[in-house]
């Protein structure tokens, strides 16, 4: 089944404790992206990647890191999480670029205390 | 910079009634436009997309949208709403230029009452 998977689905952590949210897709998509969803703000793009070793900032990249060492994986790293990063995070992938339909993962709900 | 505006935060309709969700965009050229739906507790799913050509676009689940350049709008419609349509709906536009960004609207939450 074609899908985007994220782990963990739920995470409660404390300020400053490094964490990684994994994202994997099995559709051989080149384009992958991370979004955060906050009430009243919709989805905001954090980072995106056009292919292996090619990443760029979205609209809200501060406090996040990403890497794309393999085509299928696009982990989101919070080196020192803060409470304002409490949010619902979505990973998405698409065939080649921003003009294609994006396929979304189920989301990761992160709470930073 | 590109932007999309969804003026309605929350809409309530009766089951069987018609639906129209508004989306206004700001874009230099002819835009690519998307509508996504997010059912409770799930990720987003594409409903339909507009690239060029026919301004009336058909999507999944009986939805359609009409691109109106003169009004900078891409409103989503459905003639008869079902209870299962209760969800949050997002309009989105890819940014022009070299950056591979996608901008989403703030969403419209649809409530369907019996």
């Amino acid at each position: 089944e074609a899908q985007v998977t994220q782990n963990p689905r739920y995470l409660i952590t404390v300020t400053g404790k490094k964490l990684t949210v994994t994202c994997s897709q099995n559709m051989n998509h080149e384009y992958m992206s991370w979004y955060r969803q906050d009430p009243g703000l919709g989805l905001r793009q954090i980072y995106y990647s056009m292919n292996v070793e090619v990443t760029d900032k979205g609209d809200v990249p501060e406090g996040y890191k990403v890497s794309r060492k393999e085509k299928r994986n696009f982990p989101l790293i919070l080196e020192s999480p803060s409470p304002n990063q409490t949010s619902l995070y979505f990973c998405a992938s698409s065939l080649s670029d921003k003009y294609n339909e994006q396929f979304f993962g189920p989301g990761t709900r992160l709470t930073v205390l | 910079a590109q932007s999309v505006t969804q003026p309605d935060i929350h809409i309530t309709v009766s089951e069987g009634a018609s639906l129209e969700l508004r989306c206004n965009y700001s874009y230099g050229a002819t835009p690519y436009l998307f509508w996504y739906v997010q059912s409770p507790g799930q990720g987003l799913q594409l409903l339909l997309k507009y690239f060029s050509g026919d301004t009336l676009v058909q999507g999944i689940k009986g939805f359609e949208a009409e691109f109106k350049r003169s009004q900078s709008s891409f409103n989503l419609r459905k003639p008869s709403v079902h209870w299962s349509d209760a969800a949050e709906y997002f309009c989105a536009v890819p940014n022009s230029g070299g950056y591979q960004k996608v901008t989403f609207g703030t969403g419209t939450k649809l409530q369907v009452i019996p």
Side-chain angles (χ1 to χ4, degrees):
Chain A
E1 178 190 355
Q3 60 182 349
V4 178
T5 56
Q6 295 179 228
N7 282 292
R9 294 289 312 280
Y10 302 90
L11 179 60
I12 300 175
T13 189
V14 296
T15 298
K17 186 176 181 182
K18 181 180 178 180
L19 66 92
T20 299
V21 183
T22 65
C23 172
S24 183
Q25 51 92 4
N26 62 1
M27 295 170 279
N28 202 34
H29 284 170
E30 294 180 349
Y31 183 90
M32 297 186 73
S33 185
W34 276 103
Y35 296 88
R36 60 177 290 174
Q37 183 179 19
D38 302 289
L41 298 177
L43 272 78
R44 293 179 293 167
Q45 196 167 24
I46 303 171
Y47 270 95
Y48 63 86
S49 170
M50 288 297 294
N51 213 325
V52 175
E53 302 293 1
V54 181
T55 63
D56 205 350
K57 296 177 181 178
D59 293 317
V60 289
E62 295 78 20
Y64 304 95
K65 285 176 57 178
V66 293
S67 69
R68 187 97 181 267
K69 293 182 169 51
E70 304 167 284
K71 196 172 187 178
R72 63 183 293 125
N73 296 324
F74 190 45
L76 180 69
I77 303 157
L78 284 72
E79 295 268 4
S80 183
S82 62
N84 65 12
Q85 293 178 297
T86 292
S87 188
L88 179 59
Y89 291 87
F90 287 101
C91 180
S93 72
S94 71
L95 191 59
S96 60
D97 59 22
K98 61 187 177 184
Y99 299 112
N100 288 274
E101 170 187 2
Q102 292 190 71
F103 294 83
F104 283 79
T108 294
R109 185 165 293 280
L110 172 66
T111 301
V112 183
L113 302 175
Chain B
Q2 287 68 229
S3 66
V4 286
T5 302
Q6 293 181 248
D8 304 305
I9 297 171
H10 193 274
I11 282 183
T12 300
V13 299
S14 299
E15 191 167 15
S18 63
L19 171 70
E20 183 168 28
L21 302 182
R22 296 184 289 167
C23 172
N24 295 101
Y25 66 88
S26 169
Y27 199 93
T30 300
Y32 290 66
L33 290 158
F34 299 86
W35 272 104
Y36 285 86
V37 59
Q38 183 182 27
S39 298
Q42 298 187 22
L44 281 73
Q45 178 186 19
L46 181 73
L47 280 175
L48 49 79
K49 58 187 177 185
Y50 172 77
F51 285 170
S52 65
D54 194 345
T55 56
L56 186 61
V57 181
Q58 301 298 321
I60 63 171
K61 306 185 182 191
F63 284 91
E64 65 178 28
E66 186 170 13
F67 171 67
K68 292 185 178 180
R69 184 190 303 277
S70 61
Q71 298 177 20
S72 297
S73 69
F74 187 56
N75 294 348
L76 183 70
R77 303 193 296 242
K78 186 168 185 178
S80 178
V81 170
H82 188 263
W83 63 266
S84 60
D85 293 323
E88 192 158 17
Y89 293 80
F90 293 92
C91 186
V93 61
N95 287 28
S96 64
Y99 292 104
Q100 292 287 337
K101 296 183 185 179
V102 178
T103 298
F104 281 78
T106 52
T108 298
K109 187 163 285 191
L110 173 65
Q111 182 181 8
V112 180
I113 55 177

